[in-house]
Structures are given as structure tokens and as C-alpha cells.
Amino acid sequence: MVIPPPVRPPTLTKFLKPYVLKMHFTNKYVSAQVIHSPTATVASSASSQEKALRPSMDCTRDVAAAAKIGKILGERLLLKDIPAVSVFLKREQRYHGKVKAVIDSMREAGIRLL
């Protein structure tokens, strides 16, 4: 049985930024996903674990892989007609290195970042 996400009142939903970028970095892989906040569903995602992407990457965990993941995620978002995404960094994340590579490559793909 699937439990649906809680329904938020409309007065609160209009103040939320609807699409949020979440990034996750491990010692082996880079992954990023865009979540639709009001419905708590994943709008689009990209990861260096995907079988189609692995042969084209030399390393699946460095800054170049993070830039490629950001570019692919940006293209997937444009295909779904999502022009803008808001970014909330975790406490330990800074706009540097892999985080910067993902965000900048999404910006180059044509996604506005709020």
C-alpha cells in the first residue's frame, strides 16, 4: 500500500519554491535530482551510476563527472518544460568544487537558478 504525501494547504503552497535541486556526492558517484516540493515527487534525476553514462566517463566521482551530470539534468529538465530550479545547499556544502560544477553546468544548459 502506497501512502500519498500530505496535502499542504494552498496558502502555504504558493510561497514555496516548487522545484528544488538536491545533490548527493559519495566516494564513487555523483547524483543530482530535482524534487517538486508540493507533491514530494522527483521531477527529474541524473547520476553517474546510470549504465548509459558510465562508458562515456573516465571517472564517476570527480568534478568533470559532476559537470556532466549537471548538463544532463539540465537537458532533462528542459524536456519536461521546467525552466527554473531553486538550490538549497546543505550545511557542509559550499559553492565550490563539485557543487559549483553541477550548478554552473545546469546554468549553461539553460536552467535558471533561484
Side-chain angles (χ1 to χ4, degrees):
M1 183 169 125
V2 177
I3 299 171
V7 178
R8 294 186 177 154
T11 57
L12 178 67
T13 306
K14 70 179 181 180
F15 294 108
L16 293 176
K17 308 252 180 176
Y19 294 100
V20 179
L21 172 68
K22 300 282 184 175
M23 296 171 278
H24 185 70
F25 306 104
T26 64
N27 289 334
K28 288 187 176 184
Y29 302 109
V30 175
S31 63
Q33 60 185 4
V34 174
I35 298 173
H36 186 246
S37 304
T39 59
T41 58
V42 176
S44 184
S45 67
S47 175
S48 59
Q49 286 180 310
E50 296 176 16
K51 266 193 172 175
L53 298 178
R54 267 195 244 160
S56 65
M57 292 187 191
D58 295 334
C59 185
T60 58
R61 62 183 178 194
D62 60 349
V63 176
K68 190 167 215 163
I69 293 300
K71 181 181 177 190
I72 291 170
L73 183 61
E75 292 169 357
R76 289 179 183 175
L77 288 171
L78 289 176
L79 285 175
K80 290 190 173 188
D81 295 328
I82 300 172
V85 172
S86 59
V87 179
F88 291 112
L89 298 178
K90 295 178 187 173
R91 185 175 289 186
E92 69 272 2
Q93 288 180 337
R94 294 197 175 109
Y95 186 71
H96 178 68
K98 294 177 193 174
V99 174
K100 183 177 190 274
V102 171
I103 292 173
D104 287 348
S105 59
M106 283 183 68
R107 195 174 283 145
E108 289 172 6
I111 300 295
R112 283 188 324 132
L113 296 166
L114 305 174

